[in-house]
Amino acid sequence: MQKKSVRDLDVDGKKVLVRVDFNVPVKDGEVTDDTRIDRAMPTIGMLVERGAKVALISHLGRPKGSPDPKYAMDPVAKRLGEMLGRHVEKLDTAVGQEVSDALDNLPEGGVVLLENSRFYEGETKNDPGFADELAAPFDLYVNDAFGAAHRAHATTVGVAERLPAAAGLLLEREVDYLDGVLKDPERPFVAILGGAKVSDKLGVIESLLGVADSLLIGGAMCFTFFKAKGYGVGKSLVEDDYLEEAKRLMQEAGDKLVLPVDVVAAREFEADAEHRTVSVDGVPEGWMGLDIGPETVELFAGRISGAKTVFWNGPMGVFEMDAFAKGTEGVARAVAESDATSVVGGGDSVAAVNKLGLEREMSHISTGGGASLEYVEGKELPGVAVLPDR
């Protein structure tokens, strides 16, 4: 990565504001998945060891620009303290005298967690006044929240414009892995895309077709391609407005774009619905395709097994329902068993990998679904672009 890194900063005794992505699931006051906290630990640990006074800030959920007890950061502070093996003070504000006083009283190597950044209307608007307030008590800024780097918010952009800034170790790792996929992949490079809508991933499809050797398409988005081919797709999800785009992509991509050969179709969108495996041109009238079929899993696995680089974003079916999870599971196992450098992005893909206990078999699991997709699409991420070059 060409951006200045936290490694390059002299942080001893300095007050450092770190933007982290602690947007984690919370139930009954307990964090139920601490993966994102864990991924920030190397940066936090480095700053603590080097004697910085560390204040962490993140959003949690979607409060509407004002305090909402449901989204307070207290459960996160509790879990973070358990993981660090020390008490982490959680402040009830993100700006003002309380923050300044807490930093003055914090020992070198100490950590505090500020309140939810989205309790403030100025956060999502990147309001200059709010950014000034955030930056005021600090000497340095580190962005380690790749999952929020595609947002031009006060905590991702505004503060970085006001303080000496650098990338955290996680953000650095995310960008390095994605650059490796996009700019100089070891070949063959196989990309796998799933999910519901072609419209959500049109730019990503075009970008990947320009660099990948094969692009495997699963998920409900494949039915827009099948309808564009003239196949009957029953009640499967189709974006009629994108049929011409689907035709164009298939024509331009040729053999590079690989579609399913069979699907699991169901009478209803229900976990216990009657279902059966059919060819892609044989979805019964009134039925809907909810997963790729076993022949497709075998086809995709064959491509994946010969790959040197794999990028995967999006499930192959409705993997939350056991009857329609086999496609996603089959692809996950094929990626895990391959010798390829594998990059997995997107919440549903990551959830599937975690559910199967395969996370350690992947080279890199991205913490930023939306950010990784926008980066792959070739869009500039504001939270990365604002950081100074080395």
Side-chain angles (χ1 to χ4, degrees):
M1 188 180 183
Q2 299 304 308
K3 297 294 183 179
K4 184 174 282 189
S5 165
V6 63
R7 306 169 200 270
D8 305 319
L9 298 176
D10 175 12
V11 302
D12 187 20
K14 302 287 178 62
K15 299 169 182 175
V16 185
L17 178 63
V18 185
R19 177 48 157 109
V20 288
D21 182 7
F22 286 174
N23 185 28
V24 295
V26 176
K27 185 176 182 181
D28 299 327
E30 300 287 338
V31 173
T32 57
D33 182 347
D34 60 19
T35 303
R36 288 182 172 178
I37 302 174
D38 183 64
R39 299 290 286 280
M41 295 299 274
T43 295
I44 298 168
M46 176 181 282
L47 290 168
V48 166
E49 286 171 19
R50 292 185 175 182
K53 294 185 172 191
V54 182
L56 308 171
I57 190 164
S58 174
H59 72 286
L60 176 64
R62 295 187 176 181
K64 306 296 184 184
S66 61
D68 183 339
K70 185 168 66 170
Y71 299 115
M73 300 298 293
D74 299 73
V76 180
K78 178 186 173 188
R79 183 66 191 122
L80 175 63
E82 292 168 353
M83 295 171 75
L84 283 172
R86 61 164 74 189
H87 173 71
V88 173
E89 183 183 2
K90 181 260 172 181
L91 305 186
D92 293 329
T93 183
V95 294
Q97 192 61 45
E98 187 180 338
V99 177
S100 298
D101 291 345
L103 290 168
D104 288 340
N105 295 324
L106 196 66
E108 293 183 5
V111 180
V112 297
L113 180 63
L114 305 185
E115 189 52 280
N116 192 331
S117 64
R118 290 192 187 172
F119 281 6
Y120 298 86
E121 195 176 353
E123 160 70 326
T124 56
K125 295 179 178 179
N126 191 17
D127 177 73
F130 180 57
D132 286 340
E133 285 187 277
L134 280 168
F138 294 97
D139 304 307
L140 301 168
Y141 168 78
V142 172
N143 189 352
D144 208 30
F146 181 73
H150 59 315
R151 307 294 189 201
H153 290 174
T155 57
T156 58
V157 172
V159 178
E161 294 172 332
R162 288 160 171 78
L163 292 171
L169 301 178
L170 173 59
L171 189 142
E172 195 175 56
R173 178 178 165 88
E174 295 268 16
V175 172
D176 284 345
Y177 263 101
L178 289 173
D179 280 348
V181 165
L182 297 171
K183 296 177 180 177
D184 189 24
E186 192 175 356
R187 298 187 181 278
F189 170 28
V190 175
I192 312 156
L193 285 181
K197 296 181 178 180
V198 174
S199 58
D200 289 344
K201 294 180 178 173
L202 184 62
V204 179
I205 292 170
E206 298 205 60
S207 176
L208 287 172
L209 284 172
V211 65
D213 297 294
S214 298
L215 175 57
L216 318 181
I217 299 282
M221 71 165 75
C222 70
F223 293 103
T224 298
F225 289 95
F226 291 139
K227 187 168 182 179
K229 281 175 169 278
Y231 296 169
V233 296
K235 290 195 300 185
S236 304
L237 181 64
V238 169
E239 291 183 284
D240 289 318
D241 292 347
Y242 283 83
L243 294 175
E244 291 304 316
E245 289 284 6
K247 287 178 186 175
R248 177 183 65 80
L249 288 168
M250 288 187 288
Q251 189 172 2
E252 292 176 2
D255 293 341
K256 188 181 281 193
L257 195 150
V258 183
L259 292 166
V261 292
D262 63 342
V263 296
V264 179
R267 192 180 289 278
E268 301 290 342
F269 189 83
E270 299 289 345
D272 57 354
E274 180 187 351
H275 59 277
R276 60 175 182 255
T277 301
V278 298
S279 65
V280 292
D281 57 354
V283 177
E285 188 65 34
W287 287 47
M288 61 189 74
L290 296 180
D291 195 13
I292 59 172
E295 285 186 38
T296 301
V297 171
E298 196 172 324
L299 170 67
F300 285 8
R303 295 290 182 111
I304 293 164
S305 67
K308 294 294 186 184
T309 306
V310 172
F311 174 79
W312 175 28
N313 182 289
M316 298 292 101
V318 188
F319 81 100
E320 299 89 347
M321 301 179 187
D322 288 345
F324 314 112
K326 292 181 178 62
T328 301
E329 290 177 7
V331 166
R333 294 193 190 283
V335 175
E337 291 166 10
S338 76
D339 294 326
T341 297
S342 51
V343 179
V344 182
D348 288 338
S349 312
V350 174
V353 168
N354 290 341
K355 180 182 173 185
L356 294 167
L358 297 174
E359 56 271 22
R360 295 188 183 279
E361 307 303 317
M362 309 299 177
S363 305
H364 180 68
I365 296 180
S366 179
T367 55
S372 62
L373 277 181
E374 289 196 17
Y375 198 82
V376 169
E377 193 174 339
K379 292 182 177 177
E380 185 177 78
L381 304 186
V384 175
V386 72
L387 300 175
D389 292 334
R390 274 201 169 97

